[in-house]
């Protein structure tokens, strides 16, 4: 389970870094499409970590008796 958590944590970091990079790139572009993409990327920068945290919290609450997490 530790190895799976480590891989998922690394994947989360990579996704967030890509979101930050895309937000920066879209902010430098001109045009209506770039404005929409920037807004979506900016929103996902906040939404993705909150949803991931909520999923982890929900999992922990449903698997209290599972001692393999420690």
């Amino acid at each position: 389970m530790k190895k799976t958590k480590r891989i998922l944590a690394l994947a989360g970091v990579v996704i967030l870094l890509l979101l930050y990079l895309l937000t920066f790139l879209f902010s430098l572009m001109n045009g209506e499409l770039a404005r929409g993409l920037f807004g979506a990327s900016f929103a996902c920068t906040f939404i993705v970590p909150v949803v991931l945290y909520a999923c982890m919290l929900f999992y922990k609450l449903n698997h209290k008796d599972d001692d393999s997490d420690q």
Side-chain angles (χ1 to χ4, degrees):
M1 187 69 174
K2 273 188 166 183
K3 188 174 183 178
T4 304
K5 280 185 178 181
R6 191 173 291 168
I7 291 171
L8 289 175
L10 183 62
V13 168
V14 169
I15 289 171
L16 281 175
L17 288 175
L18 287 174
L19 278 172
Y20 294 145
L21 178 66
L22 287 174
T23 302
F24 177 71
L25 291 175
F26 293 144
S27 70
L28 297 176
M29 297 170 65
N30 290 328
E32 287 298 316
L33 180 62
R35 183 176 297 188
L37 291 172
F38 172 75
S41 180
F42 190 74
C44 285
T45 300
F46 295 104
I47 292 171
V48 168
V50 170
V51 169
L52 289 175
Y53 179 75
C55 288
M56 289 185 336
L57 185 62
F58 185 71
Y59 180 81
K60 283 182 184 180
L61 289 174
N62 284 334
H63 294 89
K64 284 184 181 180
D65 57 344
D66 188 17
D67 292 333
S68 65
D69 288 342
Q70 298 174 357

